[in-house]
Amino acid sequence: MFKQVVLISVLALGTAGCSDDSVNVENLKAIGGARYGGEFRFMSSEKIEALFPLQATTIYTQRITSQIFDPILRLDASGSKVIPSVAESFTVSPDGKSYTLSIRKGIYFHPDECLDGEGRELTAEDVKFTLDMSCSGLAINDVSFMLHDRVVGAAAYNDATKKQLKPGGVSGIQVVDKYKVRINLVEAFAGFDKLLTYSGFGVFPKEAYDFYKNEIRKHPVGTGPFMLEAHSSKGLKLKRNPHYWAKDQFGNQLPFLAGIELSYTKNKRSELIAFRERKIDLVLEIPTEEVDNILGSLKEAQEGKTVKHKVDSKQSFSVTFLGMSQRNPIFKDVRVRKAFNHAINRVDLVNHTLLGEGYPVLNGFIPNTEFFPANRVKGPEYNVAKAKSLLAQAGFPNGEGFPVMTIYVSGNADAANHSLAKGIAAQLKQNLGISVLVELVDFDKRNQYVKSGKAILWISGWIADYPDGESFLSLFYGKYANMDSEFMNPFKYRSSTFDNLYERLNKEQNPQKRTDIMVECDQQLVNDAVVIPLINDDFITMINSRVRNFKTNSLENLDFSSIFIKEPRGSE
């Protein structure tokens, strides 16, 4: 899924104003009803337009839709283990091609006008309808690529439903009985259970689509811990679902919060001021140049003048990159793409342009985590002489005759991604004699330019949709090059070598062999210089100490269902 550049320094935050908000689980049960109530507040610079899982393609939107809709399966707090959700269990056929899901009984949709003002129980029919629609060719479905080539009949259904849904749905998705669904795969895929944790498969009722049609994006009807209360140009509010099915380990009804409030902000400074003034509880993106001014000094913290907070850091399973579109004939030439890769000094970008924030990517496109050994991939070396030679071979000696191009970047002026783009432009000018402009646009416009082909160069980020390196490799699959998409193969890369490796990966069941094939895939991307991976970063959050049981993971998911508010001593 899409992600903006998110950079922060833990050391810059230090320990000023920090408070240990860890919760002894032995005491949780004793806290009992005291945990219920309170509103969790945070801000975002990105507006949430569509509250519909099939259009939630950015991490910002998913952090809200995942509170309203339950996925078929989910990940545990660590983000690495698949656990039950709507499906309480599943079985896999011996050949790995058939998954049978047992749907949990007693899950109810939120009351809504489309359901005559009431809720109703979720059944296998709802899971099938959600998956059918996720395979459809409808304009409001942005996630058809997830199952298109994996589920039997998905591709045919996609072709047949460009204008409207068809009776019967996808042939490979079958209702066995009221609480059981069977999904038949084209080929065995070892990571299919992880794929079913994708929040874009949040289950919704057929009645919602029949009633609201394309306006369903404004009328979310899910089964999640929170329900939409209000949505405007200033932000949105969610309220507690009193009939939520889940309970904590002690049998306490979830969620604990009375509500969640998200408000929009145009700049990070106002957000940090709001945090210092205790108007919000969470900050996700912190420019280090503002930390001392906004959070205050250690002396102020010792005097009790700063907000008590906790900083949490997890290695993010994400990458920030410079995209190059092969729609432009110049970038069809691998020598040009390689020249760009060799001309960019990633270490210098991190150390000087970004003042030490992030980690330079020195290997391939997939980040190095517990899910993937990136050190096995040999990345492009910084070599100006080789870059100049390649560019000259392509017909542009010392940059002569190379057209002026523009890097499109979204975000705030002089924020990390904007600085990154300017740093790249400066290096390309100095090392290759190429003039590159930088244009700052909003997030949606950047995506539109990529989708339409106007953007030949752009800064973007990608974070895994599920804990598997395949989530990164899918971006480059040749079949997606024909799609007008801002995220699935916007590079228009076509390689039979890569495609064959990728298809082998999806068929392979042995974990070690899958990893070996992933390494081959990633190395092929480096060899073909398809994209310019730039930096990896950490997912760092700063949260008010009154918020308890807050957990994060490498996929940057946020689950608000089990957090609760407990005011620090002396503040009540």
Side-chain angles (χ1 to χ4, degrees), residues 399-462:
E400 295 175 11
F402 200 95
V404 176
M405 291 189 174
T406 300
I407 298 176
Y408 291 96
V409 57
S410 63
N412 297 323
D414 297 320
N417 48 351
H418 190 211
S419 297
L420 194 61
K422 291 190 291 185
I424 291 169
Q427 289 191 6
L428 291 174
K429 181 65 175 178
Q430 179 178 342
N431 295 335
L432 295 179
I434 292 174
S435 295
V436 177
L437 307 176
V438 174
E439 184 171 335
L440 192 64
V441 295
D442 63 43
F443 190 72
D444 289 337
K445 184 168 288 187
R446 194 280 312 274
N447 292 345
Q448 290 170 11
Y449 286 174
V450 173
K451 183 176 182 178
S452 68
K454 178 176 180 177
I456 303 302
L457 297 171
W458 68 95
I459 296 287
S460 188
W462 187 260

Side-chain angles (χ1 to χ4, degrees), residues 502-518:
Y502 180 73
E503 289 164 5
R504 276 180 53 205
L505 170 66
N506 282 337
K507 295 176 184 178
E508 182 57 59
Q509 298 294 295
N510 181 279
Q512 184 55 55
K513 289 182 179 178
R514 287 191 80 245
T515 298
D516 292 341
I517 298 172
M518 281 187 209

Side-chain angles (χ1 to χ4, degrees), residues 79-143:
S80 59
K81 181 181 178 182
V82 176
I83 60 175
S85 181
V86 167
E88 61 183 357
S89 64
F90 66 92
T91 58
V92 186
S93 63
D95 63 2
K97 291 186 177 183
S98 180
Y99 282 68
T100 302
L101 310 172
S102 295
I103 306 306
R104 188 186 303 273
K105 297 178 182 178
I107 298 180
Y108 287 83
F109 287 108
H110 304 154
D112 190 83
E113 187 178 358
C114 72
L115 300 173
D116 297 325
E118 300 179 354
R120 71 156 174 82
E121 189 180 21
L122 180 152
T123 70
E125 292 284 357
D126 299 302
V127 175
K128 174 175 168 55
F129 179 76
T130 298
L131 292 175
D132 283 346
M133 196 158 168
S134 75
C135 296
S136 74
L138 295 177
I140 62 170
N141 175 28
D142 291 332
V143 302

Side-chain angles (χ1 to χ4, degrees), residues 51 64 68 218 220 227-239 260-262 264:
L51 293 170
I64 294 298
I68 302 173
K218 299 179 181 178
M227 306 179 289
L228 180 65
E229 181 177 6
H231 189 193
S232 71
S233 59
K234 294 182 179 180
L236 57 83
K237 277 190 173 185
L238 305 181
K239 61 182 179 181
I260 299 170
E261 181 176 2
L262 170 68
Y264 302 135

